Amino acid sequence: MEMGVIKISNKKVIDDLQAKLTLRLGRKVTQQETLDLCLLYATRNFEDILALAESTPSLSPEKAQKIIEKFQKFKNTPYDKKAKFPRAEDEEIYSF
């Protein structure tokens, strides 16, 4: 059965897993085969997947409304372009 295109939000993770499988198996593993193996594993370990899904935060309409309200409250706050951030990721995200 063929499915449509699926967007992978964290492509690096699937690429890393595919590379590890290729190295360990000593043969080229396709992205499709990697995803098929992940689905097979997830099906066999459903409780683990369920626990992981339950721990993932979700966005409810109430949470979305709070985010919008905070944005509205601070949208006219001037941005300090000379600001320094403690984490390198923050520096990369917020500096422009």
Side-chain angles (χ1 to χ4, degrees), residues 4 9 21 25 29 37 50 54 56 67 70 77 94 96:
S9 60
L21 286 168
L25 293 172
V29 177
L37 290 168
L50 182 61
E54 288 175 339
T56 303
I67 291 169
K70 282 188 178 183
T77 303
Y94 298 115
F96 45 92

Side-chain angles (χ1 to χ4, degrees), residues 12-29 34 37:
K12 181 172 178 6
V13 172
I14 191 74
D15 289 343
D16 289 350
L17 181 58
Q18 183 180 356
K20 288 178 185 178
L21 286 168
T22 297
L23 284 172
R24 281 293 199 68
L25 293 172
R27 65 175 176 81
K28 175 74 173 143
V29 177
T34 303
L37 290 168

Side-chain angles (χ1 to χ4, degrees), residues 17-79:
L17 181 58
Q18 183 180 356
K20 288 178 185 178
L21 286 168
T22 297
L23 284 172
R24 281 293 199 68
L25 293 172
R27 65 175 176 81
K28 175 74 173 143
V29 177
T30 66
Q31 192 174 70
Q32 181 64 54
E33 184 180 3
T34 303
L35 290 171
D36 287 344
L37 290 168
C38 289
L39 291 172
L40 180 62
Y41 180 83
T43 302
R44 291 181 179 171
N45 298 278
F46 180 75
E47 294 301 320
D48 292 341
I49 297 298
L50 182 61
L52 182 61
E54 288 175 339
S55 69
T56 303
S58 61
L59 182 63
S60 67
E62 295 80 19
K63 286 182 185 177
Q65 185 59 40
K66 286 181 182 180
I67 291 169
I68 292 168
E69 287 169 5
K70 282 188 178 183
F71 168 77
Q72 293 298 330
K73 181 179 177 181
F74 295 107
K75 73 179 181 181
N76 294 321
T77 303
Y79 180 75

